[in-house]
Amino acid sequence: MTRDATRLVRKAEGDFLFEHSVRVYLWASLAGRRKGLPFDPGLLYVAALFHDFGLTGRYGQSHLRFEVDGANAARDFLNSHRVSEASSETNWLAIALHTTNGISANLSPIAALVAEGANILSGQATIISRVPSAMLSRRLIHTHPSLRMASCKSSTRVLSIVHTPQGTGLADVMAYKDPAFRRRDFSI
């Protein structure tokens, strides 16, 4: 199942998104081990790989949030591999809510870990407190270096296909990268 997920996601995502998704899994897995959380590594891997899948070109015409597009794709993938409905639903929630801080941590270990892995890479969580040892963190950073989305050259291309940034942290990044972008303000 994990090989099939890797092939499918690798084919649809460019280097930036694919490598980011792999790093989310690695950080999430390390955090889960450090905290002693029970999780299925295969299901966590699938959730991490699909967490930004809704940003791919195939969803450019979608009217759903990118998180929901990715969650729907992951559910379809897991159903095609005969994963239980409960596990499929757990992954769906983990992906759909990974940008909604404060909720994921209260759902399931997989939801908490996908959000934490994504937050570590976006700079919203402190890495040093999230890994079992400084040696492991240095090795992971060296082997899988992370570029912050706001400074990555390819992030402009990634952000150009984001169809529903409002209500997510991507709205902040888009406002930084594109002075013409206007955040939606619910108070107006």
Side-chain angles (χ1 to χ4, degrees):
M1 179 179 74
T2 57
R3 282 188 213 124
D4 289 347
T6 301
R7 279 191 287 273
L8 175 70
V9 173
R10 185 70 185 106
K11 191 182 295 187
E13 293 182 349
D15 291 340
F16 178 79
L17 276 181
F18 180 75
E19 293 298 329
H20 165 75
S21 297
V22 170
R23 285 190 301 273
V24 166
Y25 168 73
L26 293 170
W27 285 115
S29 180
L30 286 172
R33 288 187 194 125
R34 182 180 83 50
K35 293 177 177 185
L37 293 176
F39 65 91
D40 178 311
L43 291 174
L44 178 62
Y45 182 75
V46 169
L49 279 191
F50 279 92
H51 87 280
D52 280 345
F53 197 72
L55 295 174
T56 62
R58 70 175 65 184
Y59 297 102
Q61 302 303 312
S62 175
H63 296 291
L64 300 174
R65 287 176 58 137
F66 79 92
E67 302 94 333
V68 173
D69 285 328
N72 288 341
R75 180 171 44 208
D76 292 344
F77 174 81
L78 290 170
N79 289 342
S80 76
H81 282 79
R82 297 185 185 103
V83 171
S84 75
E85 186 62 34
S87 293
S88 181
E89 181 69 12
T90 296
N91 269 32
W92 191 94
L93 287 168
I95 296 164
L97 296 172
H98 81 272
T99 61
T100 312
N101 290 328
I103 294 177
S104 297
N106 296 293
L107 293 174
S108 69
I110 286 180
L113 294 173
V114 170
E116 186 166 2
N119 282 338
I120 287 170
L121 290 174
S122 68
Q124 295 178 35
T126 305
I127 292 174
I128 200 67
S129 67
R130 307 287 186 208
V131 295
S133 75
M135 186 175 93
L136 272 178
S137 64
R138 282 193 302 271
R139 178 185 237 174
L140 195 152
I141 290 168
H142 177 73
T143 307
H144 299 279
S146 177
L147 298 174
R148 291 184 59 104
M149 185 176 252
S151 63
C152 182
K153 290 179 184 178
S154 64
S155 69
T156 303
R157 184 175 163 278
V158 169
L159 294 173
S160 71
I161 63 171
V162 176
H163 48 278
T164 53
Q166 299 293 359
T168 72
L170 289 177
D172 295 333
V173 176
M174 290 184 75
Y176 173 79
K177 297 295 267 181
D178 180 3
F181 178 78
R182 299 288 175 245
R183 292 180 186 94
R184 185 172 53 212
D185 185 342
F186 76 93
S187 64
I188 296 176

